[in-house]
Each structure stands twice: as C-alpha cells, then as structure tokens.
Amino acid sequence: MKRNIYLSKLTLKEAQEKFYKTLLKYKLAQPLKGELVFTEDSLGRISAEPIFARISSPYYQAAAMDGVVVRARDTYGASESSPITLKINQDFHFINTGNPIPFGFDAVIKIEDINPLSEFKGDKNKDISNDFTDDSKEENIKEIKIFSAVSPGQHVRNIGEDVVANQLIIPINHRIRPLDIGALLAGGVNQFFVRRKPKIAVIPTGDELISPGEEISPGKIIEYNSKIIKGLIYEWGGEARVYEIVKDIPQDLKKVLQKAKQQNDIVVVIAGSSAGSKDFTSEIVKSIGEVLVHGVAIMPGKPTILGIIDNTPFIGLPGYPVSAIISAEQFLKPLVFYKLGLTVKKREEIKVHMAHKVVSRLGDEEFLRVKLGNIDGKIMAYPLSRGAGVLTSLVEADALIRIPLLKEGVDFGEEVEAELLEDLNRIKNNIIVTGSHDLVLDILRNELQGEFSDFNLVSFNVGSMGGLLALKQKRTHLATAHLLDSESGEYNFPYIKKMLPQRELKVVNLTYREQGIMVKRGNPKNIKGIDDLVKKDIKFINRQKGSGTRVLLDYLLKKKGINPLDIQGYSKEEYTHLMVASAVAEGSVERGNSGETPETPFSYVSL
C-alpha cells in the first residue's frame, strides 16, 4: 500500500477546535444519559441529576453528648454560692449520645460536669467522670447539684442540623466521593441516577505485536499500549474494551471498525496512523467515515488521526507509547469528559528553572518530560529522554514543559512554566545525583525509599566530569565521580580542587569497584587485555567523554602507546554500564549493506 504522508498538519489548538466543532455539529459532545445505581456503589460516578435530601439528618432532636438531659429553665439562677438540686425522672434523665431528647427537655449537661448529690463532699471542682461509668452506678444517683445555669439547646443536635429534607446535597455533574455517599445516605437517598460510563473501543494494530506472555523474538513487540490507554480511560471515568490485535490487513481493520462503532461511544485505534507503507488507518476511516485531522503539530504525538465513523467519534493514536499517551491526553480525555458532563481541569503549574539547555524543533509544540529538584530554594527542571518510545521518561517525570511551536528551545537557567504530574511536596524531597553511573545507585535508591518513602533518589548519568560541573553550577545535590588523575595517580581530589576551589564540600567514599573489559559470554575472541582492542574483528563500545571509565581507558591507551583511532568503535558512546552491557550482549554480529552476514563477524567489547 502506498505511503500516506500528511502534508497539512494542524496546530494543537486548531486540531482541538476542529474536532470539538464537529462533535457539536453531530451532537456527540453532550453528556450521556443516566442510569440508576445504589448510593453505596456510586463512588467515582458522575451525578446525572441534582440530588435532594428525602429526610432530615438527624430527623429528631438528639443528645450530642453523654450526660443528663434537663430543662434549661430549671437551672436558671444556679451559681457557686447558690447551687440548685435536680431530681432524677423529674428534673433530669440520664442520656447517651444520639438518644432522642425527651419531650419538654431542651439541654444536656456532659457526664463529666455532673455533681451527684450522694457523692458530693462540698468540692464543686471534683472530677467525678470516672466515679460512675455504668448503669448500676447511675441507678444509685437520685439527685444532682447544678452550680451554673445552662442555655436551651446546649449539647443538643436539632432536627436537620446536618441535612434538611429537600435540601440539595449533590448538584448535577458531580463526581461522587466517599463523604458524598455518607451525606446522601444520611439524607435518605439510597439510589440515584449517574452518567452512563462512555464505552470506548481500544484496537491495537500491527503485524509486529504480540500479547504479554508470548515468546519474544527480534522484530516482535509486546503490546502494552492498549493496557495503558485502558487504564487512563478508567481513571477518567470511562469503560474501555480492548479488542484483539489486528494485523496489517486493511480489510480486517475495516471489519473491526464497523463492528466497534456499533458497540461503543468512541473508537480508538492504536498505530497505523503514521506515514509508513503499512499505515493505512486514515484511508480505511475515509472509506467508511470522515477524517477531520491527520497530523498535529505536537512532539511527540504528531501522527494523530481525528474523525467520525457513522456518528461515532474516532481517534487514531500513534504507535509509540509516549506519543499515544500525549495524544490521548489532548483529544481522548476531553471527549470522555464531555460525555460525562465534566470539564478537564488544568494541572497545577509552577515556575521552574532549566537545569540544561534544550534545543527544540520549530513548527512543533513539544511536550518535554522533566524531573524536578529543589536546589537551594529554586526548583530546577532536568530534561528526561525525549524519545517517543521511551515510556520510562513518563514513568519518571514529575512535570511537563510545553515548548511553543515557534520557539527553538529553552536555555540553561531560563524560567518556564511546568505542569505538575506529581505532588509538589514530594517533588521537593527529590535528591538529585548527577555524575558517573553505577548500579549501586539503583540499590541506594531502593533502600532510601524503603526506609523513607517520602524521599526519592534521582540519578542523571552524565559522567564524572559532568557531575562535578553540575555541582559547580549549583544544579545538583550530589555528584558521583571516579576520575583518575594521570599525573598523580590519585582519584577525584585533583579534579575537585581544580574545578571547585574554595567550595566547602564533603567527599564520601561510596564504594570500591574493579573495572575490566566487558566481553560476550565465553569470551569468543579470547580477549586478554587492552592490546587486543585493535584487532580487526573486534568492535569496541566506548563510554562518553568526561566519564571516569573513559578517562581510565584513555590513560591506559596512552600508557600502552595505542592510538585510539586504531580501535574500531572508539567513537561509539553509551552513557551507562547497562547500555554498554546490552550492546555487548546483543551486538555480536553486524550485517553488511547487502544484508548478508560478514565472513568474519565482529565481537563487541567495552571497558
């Protein structure tokens, strides 16, 4: 099938407005009708009608305290010098919290303020609250003395103090909370109408997809996007139905779409919306409906499709997970909220300062994922991976920064707005660690959160030099380094003295480690040392400039008199030991331009 290249992408605002106007035209933005549910099962649902109390709460006058119920007028004139004696069953009755107030009585005296005449020894301040705590002792008290007057209504809950019959408890289009359930039940509302949950078809597509749990192989991708979108729909108040994976066969997708539009309020297709030869979703939608938008000027999320199929809204999400999530947030979430009678609330925004310069492409509004940290009272933003397929960049993100489509990026230290994805108080407890990568940092992070769950260790792997530079520029709390000084043979301190003179620092030795050459299991090329790196059938994977490992390698090469240019792959860099290990393990054979395997395969190695 021909490549479907979109040439007229719209801005985010233009796409949203066009989609919304079309939804209004087809009357697809109205809230859904209600369905009757029991109040106790209504948590998280949206009220489809105003809900009024059927009874008052409390629906009788009740005691607010344990004690005795009296007539206020019988206590008038009581004082320390002229106490009044009250007789049981005539002037007072014992009463418990919540009990009805007997007819003719109008005030309650707390149990701890009672002075039983039989126990009275002349000390009006005596605490007798523990002198009688059961009915048998109460029965022995026939009279009490009152040393002060009480007012009508003292410690009495009047009818309707909480809820009055016919009072509005919950308005229409309100998301029900646990406390709302209590108020409704107190008001005698046992069932009411809530918005029907929008039913949303989620259809993953692609020959390369396999279900979680199936055996993986090169070229096969575990399908998890639909599970993410399903979870988001659940959070938003909708009901998702995930369909079986549809292979890249146009007629198969067409059949599924025609069935899905009849069973659901919204249809979502994942992948097949880009410009590849197998991306035919827009053509299928055109054949059975209307494509409104194909291509939105956002990054990630550009290959988004918006349309209508037989009076059913259609959204085509990109295949990369971050793109799919960003697109769903911008188009699917508002649509779900429309059908629930709700408005999407803006996330809390705060001012932050960029910890790094970021260059952005003109013409696309970029959603930059960032980690945040409080450095000397200033909230710093640390850019995370910008790849549309790097789901962990959203897992780790504390906030999103939108870079406008006509802006070429943001500078180091520039103040920008950030949309919070996490609680600000938790963000302020992030401990930023910048510098050399080591697996011990992951262990340390886990141990810290196990002991102090409010704190989070955040590592940025930029190499030892990068860590010291971040410390110098006051954009990190801690720096990790293992830099060998070739002249003195000493680690770290010569660099610290040179880069951070006159700075009061505390240097902690976190761990000792041995470094060696990382080879494929079994060491098939029989590599013994640095000298072997120049062999023609060896390809090397390096660490980035400024890393302690790179400094050590260059020191060893110089000591051996080896020219780095004689090492194949010297310029190929990775930023972590794990990335290096993965490359060594998986990259043992390199294919030539013709697709044939070379006669002498390369073995990838690294320090």
Side-chain angles (χ1 to χ4, degrees):
M1 197 163 186
K2 68 177 183 178
R3 291 184 179 271
N4 186 17
I5 301 174
Y6 35 82
L7 300 175
S8 56
K9 63 182 179 181
L10 301 180
T11 67
L12 176 59
K13 184 178 180 181
E14 290 170 342
Q16 289 172 328
E17 289 179 351
K18 186 172 184 179
F19 193 40
Y20 181 60
K21 287 179 180 178
T22 305
L23 293 175
L24 289 177
K25 174 183 174 182
Y26 289 98
K27 298 181 180 180
L28 297 174
Q30 290 95 332
L32 297 173
K33 293 182 179 180
E35 60 183 9
L36 194 64
V37 299
F38 288 107
T39 300
E40 60 190 81
D41 299 325
S42 66
L43 183 64
R45 302 298 297 272
I46 310 301
S47 58
E49 60 182 358
I51 309 169
F52 298 90
R54 295 174 183 170
I55 60 173
S56 295
S57 177
Y59 58 89
Y60 59 88
Q61 277 197 319
M65 297 284 181
D66 293 337
V68 296
V69 60
V70 299
R71 290 179 288 265
R73 68 173 183 270
D74 293 340
T75 69
Y76 293 163
S79 66
E80 295 180 6
S81 59
S82 182
I84 292 176
T85 300
L86 301 178
K87 295 182 179 180
I88 195 167
N89 296 331
Q90 177 180 325
D91 303 315
F92 77 90
H93 298 280
F94 283 99
I95 196 168
N96 294 324
T97 301
N99 286 352
I101 301 294
F103 179 77
F105 291 80
D106 58 7
V108 172
I109 301 173
K110 292 190 295 184
I111 193 74
E112 54 265 37
D113 294 338
I114 294 172
N115 291 277
L117 191 60
S118 58
E119 299 289 331
F120 181 56
K121 306 298 183 181
D123 183 0
K124 62 180 176 58
N125 294 318
K126 180 181 178 183
D127 181 6
I128 57 90
S129 59
N130 294 321
D131 287 358
F132 57 93
T133 56
D134 55 45
D135 293 340
S136 63
K137 289 187 177 181
E138 288 180 2
E139 291 174 357
N140 295 329
I141 299 172
K142 306 301 181 184
E143 295 181 333
I144 61 174
K145 277 189 180 292
I146 301 298
F147 288 89
S148 62
V150 299
S151 57
Q154 176 176 290
H155 302 317
V156 173
R157 296 191 68 200
N158 289 317
I159 295 173
E161 178 188 79
D162 187 9
V163 178
V164 179
N166 299 315
Q167 170 190 338
L168 177 67
I169 303 176
I170 297 297
I172 193 172
N173 296 335
H174 176 85
R175 192 181 294 276
I176 304 300
R177 304 165 296 176
L179 50 92
D180 297 324
I181 292 175
L184 290 168
L185 292 174
V189 180
N190 297 319
Q191 55 184 1
F192 62 99
F193 282 93
V194 297
R195 297 286 182 206
R196 179 174 64 78
K197 291 184 178 183
K199 295 180 180 179
I200 303 164
V202 180
I203 307 169
T205 68
D207 289 339
E208 73 281 8
L209 299 180
I210 59 173
S211 298
E214 289 187 40
E215 185 176 351
I216 60 173
S217 61
K220 294 298 180 182
I221 300 172
I222 298 172
E223 197 292 296
Y224 54 80
N225 281 352
S226 65
K227 311 306 183 290
I228 298 173
I229 301 303
K230 178 183 178 180
L232 290 174
I233 291 169
Y234 174 81
E235 284 187 351
W236 299 333
E239 184 179 292
R241 176 186 175 185
V242 177
Y243 284 63
E244 294 291 330
I245 296 169
V246 179
K247 299 301 182 182
D248 291 323
I249 302 172
Q251 288 306 313
D252 286 357
L253 178 59
K254 187 174 183 178
K255 288 178 183 178
V256 174
L257 286 178
Q258 288 174 325
K259 183 178 180 180
K261 70 180 176 58
Q262 296 174 345
Q263 300 173 332
N264 300 275
D265 301 300
I266 305 168
V267 174
V268 174
V269 167
I270 302 176
S273 61
S274 193
S277 58
K278 293 185 177 182
D279 297 318
F280 45 74
T281 301
S282 64
E283 293 301 317
I284 297 299
V285 175
K286 285 178 184 177
S287 70
I288 58 176
E290 179 183 2
V291 172
L292 304 169
V293 176
H294 185 198
V296 183
I298 57 175
M299 184 174 69
K302 180 170 61 177
T304 296
I305 303 172
L306 305 174
I308 304 289
I309 303 176
D310 193 19
N311 222 39
T312 303
F314 172 86
I315 299 177
L317 300 178
Y320 279 123
V322 181
S323 298
I325 293 167
I326 295 295
S327 180
E329 285 267 356
Q330 300 307 310
F331 299 104
L332 179 57
K333 182 177 181 179
L335 182 50
V336 172
F337 274 52
Y338 294 153
K339 291 189 174 295
L340 290 171
L342 302 177
T343 301
V344 178
K345 293 182 179 179
K346 290 187 65 175
R347 294 189 176 103
E348 181 184 355
E349 294 183 342
I350 62 169
K351 298 284 188 181
V352 300
H353 297 265
M354 295 302 301
H356 300 281
K357 180 178 180 177
V358 174
V359 177
S360 189
R361 187 171 61 214
L362 282 174
D364 288 329
E365 180 178 352
E366 180 172 3
F367 288 75
L368 182 70
R369 288 84 77 194
V370 296
K371 203 78 183 173
L372 302 180
N374 183 13
I375 309 292
D376 294 336
K378 183 185 292 186
I379 304 296
M380 304 291 291
Y382 303 83
L384 297 168
S385 174
R386 298 160 78 184
V390 185
L391 181 59
T392 50
S393 66
L394 271 178
V395 172
E396 294 292 334
D398 291 324
L400 292 173
I401 292 174
R402 297 198 191 195
I403 303 177
L405 53 86
L406 296 180
K407 202 170 188 295
E408 292 184 307
V410 285
D411 291 325
F412 166 62
E414 183 177 345
E415 187 179 67
V416 295
E417 293 277 358
E419 300 176 19
L420 294 184
L421 303 175
E422 286 285 341
D423 178 72
L424 183 57
N425 290 322
R426 179 172 174 80
I427 288 169
K428 289 181 177 179
N429 285 337
N430 283 343
I431 301 172
I432 307 299
V433 182
T434 307
S436 175
H437 171 255
D438 196 294
L439 295 180
V440 75
L441 293 174
D442 290 337
I443 298 172
L444 194 60
R445 174 186 180 183
N446 193 63
E447 290 294 321
L448 175 68
Q449 201 144 353
E451 292 292 326
F452 306 97
S453 60
D454 286 342
F455 289 86
N456 185 29
L457 194 69
V458 182
S459 300
F460 293 98
N461 309 311
V462 298
S464 299
M465 285 285 198
L468 296 182
L469 180 61
L471 205 58
K472 181 179 181 178
Q473 294 177 334
K474 296 184 178 179
R475 51 186 174 87
T476 190
H477 295 116
L478 304 170
T480 49
H482 60 109
L483 289 166
L484 173 66
D485 178 49
S486 58
E487 295 183 3
S488 66
E490 188 179 11
Y491 270 88
N492 295 328
F493 284 98
Y495 293 91
I496 293 172
K497 290 175 182 177
K498 182 178 180 180
M499 295 181 66
L500 298 159
Q502 301 177 341
R503 280 284 298 276
E504 186 177 341
L505 301 170
K506 180 166 287 189
V507 180
V508 178
N509 180 59
L510 179 61
T511 184
Y512 289 100
R513 67 183 185 187
E514 292 183 7
Q515 288 189 265
I517 298 176
M518 193 180 297
V519 300
K520 193 171 177 63
R521 184 186 295 275
N523 193 11
K525 296 298 179 181
N526 196 30
I527 296 169
K528 300 295 185 181
I530 294 292
D531 296 322
D532 294 326
L533 298 184
V534 297
K535 290 181 177 179
K536 297 303 181 185
D537 59 346
I538 301 298
K539 182 165 274 191
F540 187 73
I541 298 171
N542 214 343
R543 288 296 306 281
Q544 79 277 20
K545 296 180 181 68
S547 68
T549 299
R550 178 68 166 265
V551 171
L552 176 61
L553 172 68
D554 290 344
Y555 167 75
L556 295 175
L557 292 178
K558 184 177 180 181
K559 192 174 179 181
K560 289 278 189 178
I562 297 174
N563 185 346
L565 298 179
D566 292 335
I567 300 175
Q568 295 187 74
Y570 178 84
S571 60
K572 181 177 174 60
E573 299 178 348
E574 292 289 358
Y575 278 75
T576 71
H577 296 296
L578 286 176
M579 292 296 291
V580 166
S582 177
V584 170
E586 301 297 332
S588 59
V589 176
E590 183 177 83
R591 294 190 177 275
N593 292 333
S594 65
E596 298 297 324
T597 303
E599 291 182 4
T600 306
F602 290 107
S603 273
Y604 284 80
V605 301
S606 184
L607 190 65

